[in-house]
Amino acid sequence: MDKFVGYLRKISIRRRLLYAFIILCVIPISIMIIISGAIEFLYYNDNIKRNYDNFTYESDIRVNDMFDQLELKFKYLKENNDILTDIYLYAISPIYQTEEVSNRIENTIASIVSNQEEISYAAIILEDGTSFSYMKILVDAKEISKGLEDGPSWSYVDYGQQPALCRTEMVEVDYTSGLKARYVILINLNAVKEVLDNAAGSAKQKIAITDIQDRVVAGSRFEKPELFYEVTVPILDTGLNINNTFIRTKYDLRGLITVTVIFLLVVAGTGSTSYLVHESIKIPLNRLLGRMERIEEGDIFIEPEEEADINSQDENEILNRVFTSMLNKLNEVLEETYTTNINETQLRTRIKELELVALQQRINPHFLYNLLDNIFWIAQMNNYEEIGEMVSALGEFFKTSVSEKGAFVSINTEIENVKSYVCLQKIMHKNQFDVIWKIDPGIVHYKTVKLILQPIIENCISHGFEGIEGGGIIHITGKKEADTIIFEIQDNGRGMEKDVCDGITLAMNDSILGVGDSIGMRNVNQRIKIYFGEPYGINIKSKITEGTTVSLCIPVKE
């Protein structure tokens, strides 16, 4: 390495830059063009297929995303508690068989599916033929429902002038009565074709959705003899496939020509830049060499007009400026030495003092930076700790309340959900209350309707402890008596008058909800009675200044 550097130092800067330009620019780019051209020519078909595989991957993601969105809409439709409750009451109670209830069901259906452009029709059809629907086009519900399977399925239907994809499933509305309803959505094939066209990554690609008989349901595909490459991928849980077909791309030299032109432009630009850099280095170096020659002749004083440009950031100009300053200071030192006769000891002492000052100037900023950095991270840690707890608890709460499928969860899941909710409330209320749990471990594996404890806990905190600062306690117990599971939530809050308690109980059990009634408690009570029957539900006892006790009874359910 030293020999190589020594060799370079023997030649001029111009020649060094020329060699560097050839080695670092011309040769690598030339080799890259030759190798890439050869690889592209030799592996032309493989490269095309790899590119087409990339197009297929991207288009499959977009098409599967569309079907995922459609399945998610269908899931929301099936699991909407408001629809299930209204359909159940509509089916079993003549009182609920009104136009208002029917409109409410259809409005809820519309609110779920109307923003999905591909869905042109959605309906819920009862076993007696009654249907609740949302439609962008006119559809005969009875005609559509003929021949559809009871289980979850996708199928291709042709009900006249406009064929469509159909997603249908027979859903159990109430497991105790065996009430079922058929859920149906129709997918507009024109909207699906638009999605497929947008998902195509090239004009040489066509995308189609095919059924198990390899019939084209939506979109289009290339057929022989123009077909060059084909990839078929199943759409999960639908019985349908995504069929990607491609035609051959003709090989041309435009890519190679373009790369060559770019190469020539790069060489020209790099060469011009190297020349300009060389000139910018040479000029100040020549000035510096000239001045050194003058010093060698004994002239160490620099005339003002010969000083370097103070605004220049060029290293050679800076070297000229420093060199000039060094000469001037050297002259001053010599003059001072001769005029003041500073001895060697004094000079060394001064140097030590300057070294100490310089060391102190290095230490102080270093200490200050470390101190500021520590203060910043301590502040970050203090701010994020409570936020982290709230985010974690909120995530656990929504994990059950939103992610759990169906209306039923295990009692253990319900308890964990309430604990997450209590954690959030304790943080929000600055730990002004405590919760004491006493749950029989033998009941945690049984099933319950989800979200039945949280509204009651919320009432304890919002109403029971209103106006009370600290000292609040909530006792939550759960036990099994015969074939019944009893939860008891007791607080030491301000309590209620008997007439207020009786009014809440009356509103909670009334089939018609009034404005301002206890919506959360009534919702829990009505859901328990709908799923488990009239003997089960909520009972409230309360006394002023002694607190409130809410008892909740449900049957044992495996």
Side-chain angles (χ1 to χ4, degrees), residues 258-274:
T258 301
V259 172
T260 303
V261 171
I262 293 174
F263 165 70
L264 295 176
L265 292 175
V266 169
V267 169
T270 308
S272 300
T273 303
S274 299

Side-chain angles (χ1 to χ4, degrees), residues 54-95:
N54 291 333
F55 289 149
T56 299
Y57 176 76
E58 296 293 337
S59 61
D60 289 349
I61 289 177
R62 297 184 63 177
V63 175
N64 274 287
D65 181 65
M66 177 189 68
F67 276 90
D68 289 342
Q69 292 294 326
L70 294 172
E71 280 288 349
L72 188 61
K73 290 292 183 183
F74 196 80
K75 176 184 176 183
Y76 287 162
L77 196 63
K78 290 191 304 179
E79 297 179 358
N80 187 279
N81 287 330
D82 293 335
I83 293 178
L84 292 173
T85 301
D86 282 339
I87 289 177
Y88 173 78
L89 294 175
Y90 188 94
I92 67 170
S93 175
I95 298 176

